[in-house]
């Protein structure tokens, strides 16, 4: 296994991680921003108010996007195991 192979595996792994995590992080960011705007408009200064909407929205996003995320991870692992003989040389 050459250094180029290691770099390709690492790049693909990082890209897969970003691709799978980005939708959930964006949902959390948007919900947090909306709750912060709501808190500013209504002058509510409760720090724990953002947790419940974020948890519910991430749970809903996992329900909707879980299949896609799992397919991406399975595709990456299948590619990794298919090329396993190349990696052990």
């Amino acid at each position: 296994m050459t250094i180029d192979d290691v770099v390709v595996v690492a790049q693909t792994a990082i890209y897969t991680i970003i691709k799978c995590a980005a939708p959930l992080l964006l949902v959390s960011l948007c919900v947090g921003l909306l709750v912060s705007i709501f808190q500013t408009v209504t002058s509510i200064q409760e720090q724990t108010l953002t947790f419940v909407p974020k948890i519910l929205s991430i749970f809903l996003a996992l329900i909707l996007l879980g299949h896609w995320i799992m397919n991406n991870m399975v595709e990456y692992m299948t590619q990794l195991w298919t090329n396993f003989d190349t990696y052990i040389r």
Side-chain angles (χ1 to χ4, degrees):
M1 186 170 185
T2 64
I3 294 176
D4 294 333
D5 293 333
V6 174
V7 169
V8 168
V9 169
Q11 282 178 341
T12 310
I14 291 172
Y15 177 71
T16 303
I17 291 168
I18 291 170
K19 187 168 67 169
C20 291
L24 300 176
L25 292 174
L26 287 174
V27 166
S28 177
L29 176 74
C30 291
V31 169
L33 183 64
L34 290 174
V35 171
S36 295
I37 291 171
F38 174 74
Q39 283 181 320
T40 302
V41 169
T42 59
S43 298
I44 298 174
Q45 298 300 323
E46 180 61 36
Q47 295 293 326
T48 60
L49 184 63
T50 61
F51 291 121
V52 173
K54 277 186 183 180
I55 289 172
L56 291 176
S57 64
I58 289 176
F59 181 69
L60 182 64
L62 274 174
I63 289 172
L64 296 175
L65 298 172
H67 183 69
W68 178 78
I69 292 170
M70 187 57 114
N71 281 340
N72 283 328
M73 292 191 301
V74 166
E75 180 182 316
Y76 173 70
M77 286 306 297
T78 303
Q79 177 189 3
L80 205 59
W81 283 102
T82 303
N83 300 329
F84 191 70
D85 59 342
T86 306
Y87 303 141
I88 57 174
R89 280 192 234 156

